[in-house]
């Protein structure tokens, strides 16, 4: 089974953004040494508990300090940007780090309504235009605009020997069908979706249109996992990690304090239990069985793991234990 890492560069209540970004580099290096296939960064804006506002910048830093693990965005939020600029950024990364760069594309806002408006004055309009934006981006990457197109003579430079690999991320059949229509590999966010993921992935495979002889349907399923030596430890870490979300991430971070479980209201405890249902929690054997079951359910090539705990050391241990159980 291929495993990969999805990193949000979380900032613990007692840490700084500098600590979080250095932690992301260390996590990428650890993932490479343990045999993880990819290390991807998310894009979020205006959230004081996350340092992942500029994944393309951090990817350059991480690529320069790793050797072979694939690096990428999960995802660049295309409605905020012009496709040409995105193509230039990832062509540059691919020139620096040949045959290692993935360009994941998403359409979520990535932050509050105010942050969204600060990034793009026409975000909702651009969301509706995502199919056209995606098609334009792919043509820039492939350099195959038709001769009559206004961008036919527009070069995306530098031009790498190996193009970045574009992926489409999503949580619904709509995104799956868009990936299939464009002959792209697809990432299904299982940990963020309440829909029938198995049916969505199956629909992607059934409708896949092969645009290139060497590109076939390919699926990554993304999940949230917290692993510890014992299931009880993992449960405790999961609860601690979710309290800031229940409390209000920004509020917890700015206060430099996370409440104890007993300090939560009954409604907040219910919210916590509901969020916990979307996380795979357990000791290495439990997590191994859950991930293998997930792989069989989706018949997928790869599982990408997001692990957020209050303690950076707990995150590292979780990825270590999972690698030992499944990648050794």
């Amino acid at each position: 089974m291929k495993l990969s890492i999805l990193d949000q560069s979380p900032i613990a209540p007692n840490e700084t953004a500098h600590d979080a970004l250095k932690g992301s580099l260390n996590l990428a290096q650890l993932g490479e040494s343990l045999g993880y296939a990819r290390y991807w960064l998310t894009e979020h804006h205006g959230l004081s508990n996350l340092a992942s506002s500029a994944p393309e910048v951090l990817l350059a830093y991480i690529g320069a300090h790793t050797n072979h693990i694939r690096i990428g965005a999960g995802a660049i939020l295309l409605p905020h940007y012009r496709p040409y600029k995105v193509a230039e950024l990832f062509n540059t990364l691919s020139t620096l780090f040949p045959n290692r760069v993935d360009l994941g594309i998403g359409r979520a806002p990535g932050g509050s309504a105010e942050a969204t408006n600060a990034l793009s004055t026409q975000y909702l309009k651009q969301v509706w235009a995502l199919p056209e934006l995606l098609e334009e981006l792919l043509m820039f990457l492939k350099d195959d605009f038709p001769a009559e197109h206004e961008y036919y003579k527009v070069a995306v430079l530098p031009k790498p020997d190996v193009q970045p690999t574009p992926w489409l991320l999503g949580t619904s059949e709509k995104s799956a069908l868009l990936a299939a229509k464009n002959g792209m590999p697809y990432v299904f966010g299982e940990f963020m979706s309440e829909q029938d993921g198995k049916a969505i992935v199956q629909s992607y495979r059934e409708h896949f249109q092969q645009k290139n002889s060497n590109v076939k349907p390919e699926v990554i399923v993304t999940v949230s996992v917290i692993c510890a030596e014992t299931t009880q430890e993992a449960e405790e870490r999961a609860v601690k990690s979710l309290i800031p979300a229940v409390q209000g991430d920004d509020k917890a971070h700015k206060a430099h304090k996370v409440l104890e479980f007993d300090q939560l209201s009954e409604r907040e405890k219910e919210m916590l239990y509901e969020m916990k249902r979307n996380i795979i929690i357990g000791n290495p054997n439990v997590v191994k069985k859950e991930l293998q079951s997930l792989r069989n359910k989706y018949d997928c090539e790869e599982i990408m793991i997001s692990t957020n705990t209050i303690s950076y050391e707990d995150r590292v241990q979780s990825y270590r234990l999972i690698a030992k159980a499944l990648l050794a």
Side-chain angles (χ1 to χ4, degrees), residues 9 26 28 49 74 78 80-81 98 100 104 113 125 141 154 161 188-189 196 198 257 276 294 297 305 325:
S9 300
N26 293 337
N49 63 310
L78 190 57
H80 291 313
Y81 311 112
R100 290 181 58 197
K125 180 180 178 181
L141 292 173
V154 178
D161 293 332
F188 177 67
D196 185 348
K198 184 176 180 179
K257 182 180 180 181
K276 202 170 74 153
L294 205 64
K297 172 185 174 180
I305 296 169

Side-chain angles (χ1 to χ4, degrees), residues 23-307:
S24 287
L25 170 60
N26 293 337
L27 182 59
Q29 292 173 326
L30 175 70
E32 182 171 76
S33 70
L34 294 175
Y36 284 90
R38 305 173 205 272
Y39 169 87
W40 283 9
L41 286 158
T42 62
E43 178 184 341
H44 291 92
H45 299 281
L47 301 179
S48 60
N49 63 310
L50 300 177
S52 55
S53 62
E56 65 276 16
V57 176
L58 190 51
L59 286 173
Y61 174 60
I62 287 170
H65 291 86
T66 52
N67 297 306
H68 56 78
I69 192 170
R70 291 194 67 87
I71 57 174
I76 293 295
L77 306 178
L78 190 57
H80 291 313
Y81 311 112
R82 295 289 293 174
Y84 181 53
K85 183 59 179 178
V86 175
E88 286 185 322
L89 287 170
F90 278 79
N91 264 14
T92 300
L93 288 169
S94 294
T95 302
L96 288 168
F97 314 114
N99 203 25
R100 290 181 58 197
V101 176
D102 296 320
L103 169 52
I105 295 297
R107 66 176 182 179
S112 67
E114 293 81 5
T116 297
N117 288 337
L119 282 163
S120 173
T121 56
Q122 296 185 323
Y123 170 75
L124 291 178
K125 180 180 178 181
Q126 294 298 86
V127 168
W128 285 107
L130 182 66
E132 292 76 25
L133 293 173
L134 181 61
E135 182 180 17
E136 185 177 304
L137 173 61
L138 294 175
M139 286 193 286
F140 273 128
L141 292 173
K142 297 174 185 176
D143 192 20
D144 65 352
F145 282 100
E148 64 276 12
H149 198 283
E150 65 173 313
Y151 298 148
Y152 176 68
K153 295 182 179 180
V154 178
V156 182
L157 301 173
K159 190 172 181 62
D161 293 332
V162 181
Q163 296 171 350
T165 301
W167 292 74
L168 189 65
L169 282 68
T171 58
S172 67
E173 186 176 30
K174 186 175 183 179
S175 59
L177 293 176
L178 183 59
K181 178 184 177 182
N182 286 283
M184 298 173 65
Y186 180 59
V187 183
F188 177 67
E190 205 262 359
F191 71 124
M192 298 186 296
S193 179
E194 299 295 329
Q195 301 188 40
D196 185 348
K198 184 176 180 179
I200 289 170
V201 169
Q202 183 60 31
S203 181
Y204 161 75
R205 290 194 172 103
E206 289 175 355
H207 292 89
F208 187 84
Q209 298 180 27
Q210 194 162 356
K211 303 290 186 178
N212 192 307
S213 59
N214 62 354
V215 178
K216 296 179 174 56
E218 187 174 357
V219 174
I220 295 176
V221 175
T222 306
V223 295
S224 181
V225 183
I226 295 179
C227 184
E229 291 283 1
T230 68
T231 295
Q232 182 178 345
E233 284 180 296
E235 289 280 351
E236 291 170 355
R237 291 172 186 180
V239 169
K240 287 182 180 179
S241 74
L242 291 172
I243 288 175
V246 172
Q247 184 182 351
D249 286 310
D250 275 4
K251 181 180 177 182
H253 185 266
K254 290 173 182 176
H256 299 285
K257 182 180 180 181
V258 177
L259 297 177
E260 296 296 327
F261 180 77
D262 292 341
Q263 295 176 287
L264 299 178
S265 68
E266 289 304 312
R267 174 58 184 149
E268 289 171 331
K269 290 177 182 178
E270 289 176 11
M271 290 171 59
L272 187 149
Y273 288 132
E274 188 66 26
M275 288 187 285
K276 202 170 74 153
R277 290 174 56 190
N278 292 326
I279 307 174
I280 295 173
I281 302 167
N283 64 45
N285 287 333
V286 169
V287 170
K288 180 178 181 179
K289 289 177 183 177
E290 290 282 351
L291 292 180
Q292 289 176 331
S293 175
L294 205 64
R295 181 193 182 189
N296 293 335
K297 172 185 174 180
Y298 286 101
D299 188 25
C300 60
E301 296 79 9
E302 186 174 337
I303 292 177
M304 183 169 281
I305 296 169
S306 173
T307 298

